[in-house]
Amino acid sequence: MVALNYLIFAAVTSRAIAAPAAEPSADAPDFEVGPHNLARRQMDYNQNYKTGGSVNFSPSSNGYSVTFSGAGDFVVGKGWKKGTERNITFTGSTTQTSGTVLVSVYGWTKNPLIEYYVQEYTSNGKGSAQGQKLGTFESDGGTYEIWKHQQVNQPSITGTATFWQYISNRVDKRPGGGTITVANHFAAWKKAGLNLGAHDYQVLATEGWGNAGGNSKYTVST
């Protein structure tokens, strides 16, 4: 193409006394893209999800797992209702057995309407990277290519529209995880003349198409 609970016990003298539960992270994931909520992007995903092979998505409070086979086209993930320049740490794995599979920070902005990817793993080396290559930059111990591509009369979070895709494609893939300094990507895109709008959702996502088969499992935090 195309969302912590803690209990702490402290020992005092000879008795164990329960301490108050720790406050949840102020920036804990609160949004997911999955079978019940396909975020209006590519509205045919709902149909593809049911008819284009098998996709089994299991979200948790701080991550997700998904297994898929013969998938025509799908995207699932966990993250936040509103994108920011947060640092996103992901831990887990992805295995691809067929088709094209990618793992990325994936999001949208409005005014302008932009679909964006920070691709950490692509089974074919490119994933959604297409169109015009604008250069490279270094971040988080790796080299990223910058791409932009125009989608004409395609489904989006606002309905059928013409919009740009901005893509950072990591050259040395890391499907096992790491920390993504999102601010570095936004800054590199701006330097290349790629401006974002008002942020909508932002998730760590697994996406596949073209008879995609495999599995992903990740935890996500900031």
Side-chain angles (χ1 to χ4, degrees), residues 104-127:
S104 66
V105 170
Y106 171 67
W108 287 84
T109 73
K110 298 176 182 175
N111 299 316
L113 183 63
I114 302 293
E115 180 183 36
Y116 67 82
Y117 293 83
V118 178
Q119 297 183 160
E120 294 295 304
Y121 166 76
T122 54
S123 62
N124 65 356
K126 294 192 69 175

Side-chain angles (χ1 to χ4, degrees), residues 56-71:
N56 297 303
F57 174 61
S58 299
S60 67
S61 62
N62 64 340
Y64 67 94
S65 64
V66 59
T67 61
F68 46 94
S69 62

Side-chain angles (χ1 to χ4, degrees), residues 2-16:
V2 155
L4 304 167
N5 295 322
Y6 302 94
L7 191 62
I8 301 172
F9 291 94
V12 178
T13 65
S14 61
R15 305 191 292 152

